[in-house]
PDB file of all heavy atoms in Angstrom:
ATOM      1  N   ALA A   1       0.846  -1.191   0.000  1.00  0.00           N
ATOM      2  CA  ALA A   1       0.000   0.000   0.000  1.00  0.00           C
ATOM      3  C   ALA A   1       0.883   1.244   0.000  1.00  0.00           C
ATOM      4  O   ALA A   1       1.996   1.222   0.530  1.00  0.00           O
ATOM      5  CB  ALA A   1      -0.913   0.004   1.217  1.00  0.00           C
ATOM      6  N   PRO A   2       0.416   2.329  -0.605  1.00  0.00           N
ATOM      7  CA  PRO A   2       1.221   3.547  -0.643  1.00  0.00           C
ATOM      8  C   PRO A   2       1.441   4.118   0.753  1.00  0.00           C
ATOM      9  O   PRO A   2       0.528   4.094   1.583  1.00  0.00           O
ATOM     10  CB  PRO A   2       0.396   4.491  -1.510  1.00  0.00           C
ATOM     11  CG  PRO A   2      -0.990   3.958  -1.448  1.00  0.00           C
ATOM     12  CD  PRO A   2      -0.876   2.495  -1.248  1.00  0.00           C
ATOM     13  N   SER A   3       2.642   4.616   0.992  1.00  0.00           N
ATOM     14  CA  SER A   3       2.950   5.248   2.278  1.00  0.00           C
ATOM     15  C   SER A   3       2.412   6.666   2.301  1.00  0.00           C
ATOM     16  O   SER A   3       2.561   7.409   1.341  1.00  0.00           O
ATOM     17  CB  SER A   3       4.463   5.282   2.503  1.00  0.00           C
ATOM     18  OG  SER A   3       4.967   3.984   2.560  1.00  0.00           O
ATOM     19  N   ASN A   4       1.797   7.039   3.377  1.00  0.00           N
ATOM     20  CA  ASN A   4       1.301   8.395   3.594  1.00  0.00           C
ATOM     21  C   ASN A   4       0.434   8.916   2.444  1.00  0.00           C
ATOM     22  O   ASN A   4       0.736   9.974   1.879  1.00  0.00           O
ATOM     23  CB  ASN A   4       2.472   9.347   3.858  1.00  0.00           C
ATOM     24  CG  ASN A   4       3.311   8.900   5.022  1.00  0.00           C
ATOM     25  OD1 ASN A   4       2.783   8.539   6.062  1.00  0.00           O
ATOM     26  ND2 ASN A   4       4.610   8.890   4.847  1.00  0.00           N
ATOM     27  N   PRO A   5      -0.615   8.218   2.090  1.00  0.00           N
ATOM     28  CA  PRO A   5      -1.464   8.726   1.002  1.00  0.00           C
ATOM     29  C   PRO A   5      -2.164  10.008   1.424  1.00  0.00           C
ATOM     30  O   PRO A   5      -2.507  10.188   2.586  1.00  0.00           O
ATOM     31  CB  PRO A   5      -2.465   7.601   0.778  1.00  0.00           C
ATOM     32  CG  PRO A   5      -2.528   6.892   2.079  1.00  0.00           C
ATOM     33  CD  PRO A   5      -1.150   6.998   2.666  1.00  0.00           C
ATOM     34  N   GLU A   6      -2.347  10.907   0.478  1.00  0.00           N
ATOM     35  CA  GLU A   6      -3.085  12.133   0.765  1.00  0.00           C
ATOM     36  C   GLU A   6      -4.532  11.998   0.329  1.00  0.00           C
ATOM     37  O   GLU A   6      -5.376  12.778   0.715  1.00  0.00           O
ATOM     38  CB  GLU A   6      -2.448  13.330   0.086  1.00  0.00           C
ATOM     39  CG  GLU A   6      -2.562  13.299  -1.404  1.00  0.00           C
ATOM     40  CD  GLU A   6      -1.992  14.543  -2.044  1.00  0.00           C
ATOM     41  OE1 GLU A   6      -1.309  15.318  -1.394  1.00  0.00           O
ATOM     42  OE2 GLU A   6      -2.239  14.722  -3.236  1.00  0.00           O
ATOM     43  N   GLY A   7      -4.810  10.998  -0.491  1.00  0.00           N
ATOM     44  CA  GLY A   7      -6.171  10.749  -0.911  1.00  0.00           C
ATOM     45  C   GLY A   7      -6.343   9.304  -1.322  1.00  0.00           C
ATOM     46  O   GLY A   7      -5.460   8.722  -1.941  1.00  0.00           O
ATOM     47  N   VAL A   8      -7.466   8.713  -0.908  1.00  0.00           N
ATOM     48  CA  VAL A   8      -7.809   7.342  -1.301  1.00  0.00           C
ATOM     49  C   VAL A   8      -9.290   7.329  -1.621  1.00  0.00           C
ATOM     50  O   VAL A   8     -10.103   7.769  -0.810  1.00  0.00           O
ATOM     51  CB  VAL A   8      -7.512   6.328  -0.181  1.00  0.00           C
ATOM     52  CG1 VAL A   8      -7.915   4.926  -0.599  1.00  0.00           C
ATOM     53  CG2 VAL A   8      -6.054   6.373   0.232  1.00  0.00           C
ATOM     54  N   VAL A   9      -9.640   6.861  -2.825  1.00  0.00           N
ATOM     55  CA  VAL A   9     -11.051   6.792  -3.222  1.00  0.00           C
ATOM     56  C   VAL A   9     -11.320   5.501  -3.974  1.00  0.00           C
ATOM     57  O   VAL A   9     -10.394   4.842  -4.463  1.00  0.00           O
ATOM     58  CB  VAL A   9     -11.475   7.993  -4.096  1.00  0.00           C
ATOM     59  CG1 VAL A   9     -11.364   9.293  -3.344  1.00  0.00           C
ATOM     60  CG2 VAL A   9     -10.700   8.042  -5.376  1.00  0.00           C
ATOM     61  N   PHE A  10     -12.604   5.161  -4.079  1.00  0.00           N
ATOM     62  CA  PHE A  10     -13.035   3.984  -4.818  1.00  0.00           C
ATOM     63  C   PHE A  10     -13.985   4.415  -5.917  1.00  0.00           C
ATOM     64  O   PHE A  10     -14.906   5.210  -5.684  1.00  0.00           O
ATOM     65  CB  PHE A  10     -13.742   2.996  -3.889  1.00  0.00           C
ATOM     66  CG  PHE A  10     -14.192   1.750  -4.580  1.00  0.00           C
ATOM     67  CD1 PHE A  10     -13.295   0.722  -4.840  1.00  0.00           C
ATOM     68  CD2 PHE A  10     -15.505   1.608  -4.997  1.00  0.00           C
ATOM     69  CE1 PHE A  10     -13.705  -0.441  -5.484  1.00  0.00           C
ATOM     70  CE2 PHE A  10     -15.922   0.455  -5.638  1.00  0.00           C
ATOM     71  CZ  PHE A  10     -15.020  -0.564  -5.880  1.00  0.00           C
ATOM     72  N   GLY A  11     -13.766   3.904  -7.133  1.00  0.00           N
ATOM     73  CA  GLY A  11     -14.664   4.178  -8.241  1.00  0.00           C
ATOM     74  C   GLY A  11     -14.353   3.285  -9.416  1.00  0.00           C
ATOM     75  O   GLY A  11     -13.222   2.812  -9.561  1.00  0.00           O
ATOM     76  N   ASN A  12     -15.324   3.019 -10.244  1.00  0.00           N
ATOM     77  CA  ASN A  12     -15.154   2.153 -11.420  1.00  0.00           C
ATOM     78  C   ASN A  12     -14.524   0.813 -11.048  1.00  0.00           C
ATOM     79  O   ASN A  12     -13.742   0.247 -11.797  1.00  0.00           O
ATOM     80  CB  ASN A  12     -14.315   2.844 -12.499  1.00  0.00           C
ATOM     81  CG  ASN A  12     -15.054   3.971 -13.175  1.00  0.00           C
ATOM     82  OD1 ASN A  12     -16.264   4.085 -13.070  1.00  0.00           O
ATOM     83  ND2 ASN A  12     -14.315   4.820 -13.867  1.00  0.00           N
ATOM     84  N   GLY A  13     -14.839   0.299  -9.856  1.00  0.00           N
ATOM     85  CA  GLY A  13     -14.328  -0.994  -9.412  1.00  0.00           C
ATOM     86  C   GLY A  13     -12.872  -0.987  -9.005  1.00  0.00           C
ATOM     87  O   GLY A  13     -12.261  -2.048  -8.875  1.00  0.00           O
ATOM     88  N   THR A  14     -12.294   0.205  -8.753  1.00  0.00           N
ATOM     89  CA  THR A  14     -10.868   0.320  -8.448  1.00  0.00           C
ATOM     90  C   THR A  14     -10.640   1.292  -7.303  1.00  0.00           C
ATOM     91  O   THR A  14     -11.252   2.356  -7.246  1.00  0.00           O
ATOM     92  CB  THR A  14     -10.105   0.841  -9.683  1.00  0.00           C
ATOM     93  OG1 THR A  14     -10.325  -0.055 -10.767  1.00  0.00           O
ATOM     94  CG2 THR A  14      -8.621   0.950  -9.431  1.00  0.00           C
ATOM     95  N   TRP A  15      -9.752   0.921  -6.388  1.00  0.00           N
ATOM     96  CA  TRP A  15      -9.253   1.846  -5.376  1.00  0.00           C
ATOM     97  C   TRP A  15      -8.073   2.593  -5.986  1.00  0.00           C
ATOM     98  O   TRP A  15      -7.224   1.996  -6.651  1.00  0.00           O
ATOM     99  CB  TRP A  15      -8.783   1.099  -4.138  1.00  0.00           C
ATOM    100  CG  TRP A  15      -9.902   0.559  -3.310  1.00  0.00           C
ATOM    101  CD1 TRP A  15     -10.416  -0.707  -3.351  1.00  0.00           C
ATOM    102  CD2 TRP A  15     -10.654   1.265  -2.335  1.00  0.00           C
ATOM    103  NE1 TRP A  15     -11.453  -0.814  -2.462  1.00  0.00           N
ATOM    104  CE2 TRP A  15     -11.612   0.386  -1.815  1.00  0.00           C
ATOM    105  CE3 TRP A  15     -10.602   2.573  -1.844  1.00  0.00           C
ATOM    106  CZ2 TRP A  15     -12.503   0.758  -0.834  1.00  0.00           C
ATOM    107  CZ3 TRP A  15     -11.497   2.947  -0.864  1.00  0.00           C
ATOM    108  CH2 TRP A  15     -12.440   2.039  -0.366  1.00  0.00           C
ATOM    109  N   VAL A  16      -8.001   3.905  -5.751  1.00  0.00           N
ATOM    110  CA  VAL A  16      -6.879   4.725  -6.218  1.00  0.00           C
ATOM    111  C   VAL A  16      -6.379   5.546  -5.039  1.00  0.00           C
ATOM    112  O   VAL A  16      -7.177   6.108  -4.279  1.00  0.00           O
ATOM    113  CB  VAL A  16      -7.304   5.661  -7.373  1.00  0.00           C
ATOM    114  CG1 VAL A  16      -6.172   6.607  -7.748  1.00  0.00           C
ATOM    115  CG2 VAL A  16      -7.726   4.845  -8.583  1.00  0.00           C
ATOM    116  N   ALA A  17      -5.051   5.611  -4.886  1.00  0.00           N
ATOM    117  CA  ALA A  17      -4.436   6.419  -3.832  1.00  0.00           C
ATOM    118  C   ALA A  17      -3.357   7.302  -4.445  1.00  0.00           C
ATOM    119  O   ALA A  17      -2.638   6.868  -5.347  1.00  0.00           O
ATOM    120  CB  ALA A  17      -3.815   5.515  -2.767  1.00  0.00           C
ATOM    121  N   THR A  18      -3.268   8.542  -3.978  1.00  0.00           N
ATOM    122  CA  THR A  18      -2.207   9.448  -4.413  1.00  0.00           C
ATOM    123  C   THR A  18      -1.444   9.935  -3.191  1.00  0.00           C
ATOM    124  O   THR A  18      -1.976   9.955  -2.078  1.00  0.00           O
ATOM    125  CB  THR A  18      -2.755  10.667  -5.178  1.00  0.00           C
ATOM    126  OG1 THR A  18      -3.595  11.414  -4.316  1.00  0.00           O
ATOM    127  CG2 THR A  18      -3.511  10.245  -6.417  1.00  0.00           C
ATOM    128  N   THR A  19      -0.198  10.333  -3.404  1.00  0.00           N
ATOM    129  CA  THR A  19       0.637  10.841  -2.317  1.00  0.00           C
ATOM    130  C   THR A  19       1.105  12.254  -2.632  1.00  0.00           C
ATOM    131  O   THR A  19       0.951  12.745  -3.746  1.00  0.00           O
ATOM    132  CB  THR A  19       1.881   9.958  -2.099  1.00  0.00           C
ATOM    133  OG1 THR A  19       2.782  10.161  -3.186  1.00  0.00           O
ATOM    134  CG2 THR A  19       1.520   8.487  -1.992  1.00  0.00           C
ATOM    135  N   ALA A  20       1.717  12.889  -1.638  1.00  0.00           N
ATOM    136  CA  ALA A  20       2.230  14.246  -1.797  1.00  0.00           C
ATOM    137  C   ALA A  20       3.368  14.314  -2.808  1.00  0.00           C
ATOM    138  O   ALA A  20       3.695  15.380  -3.296  1.00  0.00           O
ATOM    139  CB  ALA A  20       2.694  14.792  -0.453  1.00  0.00           C
ATOM    140  N   LEU A  21       3.973  13.186  -3.123  1.00  0.00           N
ATOM    141  CA  LEU A  21       5.084  13.157  -4.081  1.00  0.00           C
ATOM    142  C   LEU A  21       4.619  12.777  -5.475  1.00  0.00           C
ATOM    143  O   LEU A  21       5.407  12.325  -6.296  1.00  0.00           O
ATOM    144  CB  LEU A  21       6.178  12.203  -3.593  1.00  0.00           C
ATOM    145  CG  LEU A  21       6.803  12.591  -2.253  1.00  0.00           C
ATOM    146  CD1 LEU A  21       7.802  11.537  -1.803  1.00  0.00           C
ATOM    147  CD2 LEU A  21       7.442  13.957  -2.342  1.00  0.00           C
ATOM    148  N   ASN A  22       3.319  12.930  -5.735  1.00  0.00           N
ATOM    149  CA  ASN A  22       2.716  12.652  -7.045  1.00  0.00           C
ATOM    150  C   ASN A  22       2.754  11.187  -7.438  1.00  0.00           C
ATOM    151  O   ASN A  22       2.697  10.853  -8.613  1.00  0.00           O
ATOM    152  CB  ASN A  22       3.363  13.511  -8.141  1.00  0.00           C
ATOM    153  CG  ASN A  22       3.163  14.977  -7.892  1.00  0.00           C
ATOM    154  OD1 ASN A  22       2.127  15.389  -7.385  1.00  0.00           O
ATOM    155  ND2 ASN A  22       4.131  15.783  -8.235  1.00  0.00           N
ATOM    156  N   ALA A  23       2.858  10.309  -6.461  1.00  0.00           N
ATOM    157  CA  ALA A  23       2.798   8.878  -6.736  1.00  0.00           C
ATOM    158  C   ALA A  23       1.334   8.439  -6.745  1.00  0.00           C
ATOM    159  O   ALA A  23       0.497   8.991  -6.036  1.00  0.00           O
ATOM    160  CB  ALA A  23       3.565   8.093  -5.681  1.00  0.00           C
ATOM    161  N   VAL A  24       1.035   7.449  -7.571  1.00  0.00           N
ATOM    162  CA  VAL A  24      -0.311   6.893  -7.653  1.00  0.00           C
ATOM    163  C   VAL A  24      -0.218   5.381  -7.529  1.00  0.00           C
ATOM    164  O   VAL A  24       0.674   4.759  -8.103  1.00  0.00           O
ATOM    165  CB  VAL A  24      -0.980   7.253  -9.001  1.00  0.00           C
ATOM    166  CG1 VAL A  24      -2.351   6.605  -9.115  1.00  0.00           C
ATOM    167  CG2 VAL A  24      -1.091   8.751  -9.170  1.00  0.00           C
ATOM    168  N   SER A  25      -1.134   4.796  -6.777  1.00  0.00           N
ATOM    169  CA  SER A  25      -1.242   3.345  -6.678  1.00  0.00           C
ATOM    170  C   SER A  25      -2.696   2.962  -6.899  1.00  0.00           C
ATOM    171  O   SER A  25      -3.603   3.728  -6.596  1.00  0.00           O
ATOM    172  CB  SER A  25      -0.783   2.855  -5.304  1.00  0.00           C
ATOM    173  OG  SER A  25       0.577   3.134  -5.112  1.00  0.00           O
ATOM    174  N   ARG A  26      -2.897   1.740  -7.425  1.00  0.00           N
ATOM    175  CA  ARG A  26      -4.240   1.221  -7.717  1.00  0.00           C
ATOM    176  C   ARG A  26      -4.417  -0.135  -7.054  1.00  0.00           C
ATOM    177  O   ARG A  26      -3.450  -0.873  -6.893  1.00  0.00           O
ATOM    178  CB  ARG A  26      -4.433   1.054  -9.225  1.00  0.00           C
ATOM    179  CG  ARG A  26      -4.288   2.315 -10.009  1.00  0.00           C
ATOM    180  CD  ARG A  26      -4.401   2.062 -11.514  1.00  0.00           C
ATOM    181  NE  ARG A  26      -5.771   1.679 -11.853  1.00  0.00           N
ATOM    182  CZ  ARG A  26      -6.108   0.564 -12.496  1.00  0.00           C
ATOM    183  NH1 ARG A  26      -5.193  -0.279 -12.904  1.00  0.00           N
ATOM    184  NH2 ARG A  26      -7.375   0.298 -12.763  1.00  0.00           N
ATOM    185  N   SER A  27      -5.664  -0.453  -6.748  1.00  0.00           N
ATOM    186  CA  SER A  27      -5.964  -1.751  -6.151  1.00  0.00           C
ATOM    187  C   SER A  27      -7.381  -2.169  -6.540  1.00  0.00           C
ATOM    188  O   SER A  27      -8.306  -1.366  -6.474  1.00  0.00           O
ATOM    189  CB  SER A  27      -5.865  -1.672  -4.631  1.00  0.00           C
ATOM    190  OG  SER A  27      -6.320  -2.881  -4.048  1.00  0.00           O
ATOM    191  N   PRO A  28      -7.557  -3.434  -6.898  1.00  0.00           N
ATOM    192  CA  PRO A  28      -8.907  -3.911  -7.190  1.00  0.00           C
ATOM    193  C   PRO A  28      -9.706  -4.236  -5.926  1.00  0.00           C
ATOM    194  O   PRO A  28     -10.931  -4.281  -5.960  1.00  0.00           O
ATOM    195  CB  PRO A  28      -8.665  -5.173  -8.015  1.00  0.00           C
ATOM    196  CG  PRO A  28      -7.346  -5.674  -7.530  1.00  0.00           C
ATOM    197  CD  PRO A  28      -6.544  -4.446  -7.187  1.00  0.00           C
ATOM    198  N   ASP A  29      -9.005  -4.451  -4.801  1.00  0.00           N
ATOM    199  CA  ASP A  29      -9.680  -4.913  -3.600  1.00  0.00           C
ATOM    200  C   ASP A  29      -9.259  -4.209  -2.309  1.00  0.00           C
ATOM    201  O   ASP A  29      -9.751  -4.533  -1.240  1.00  0.00           O
ATOM    202  CB  ASP A  29      -9.469  -6.416  -3.442  1.00  0.00           C
ATOM    203  CG  ASP A  29      -7.994  -6.799  -3.400  1.00  0.00           C
ATOM    204  OD1 ASP A  29      -7.119  -5.909  -3.267  1.00  0.00           O
ATOM    205  OD2 ASP A  29      -7.705  -8.003  -3.497  1.00  0.00           O
TER     206      ASP A  29
END
């Protein structure tokens, strides 16, 4: 999982997280 996410949301069947360093991670579950 991303360290220190600034935002985490769920939509279109996918979790998305972003960080302060412009990193993005995705998760189906």
Side-chain angles (χ1 to χ4, degrees):
S3 298
N4 303 314
E6 68 177 13
V8 178
V9 297
F10 181 80
N12 289 344
T14 302
W15 287 96
V16 174
T18 62
T19 72
L21 299 176
N22 298 325
V24 177
S25 296
R26 300 176 69 235
S27 173
D29 57 12

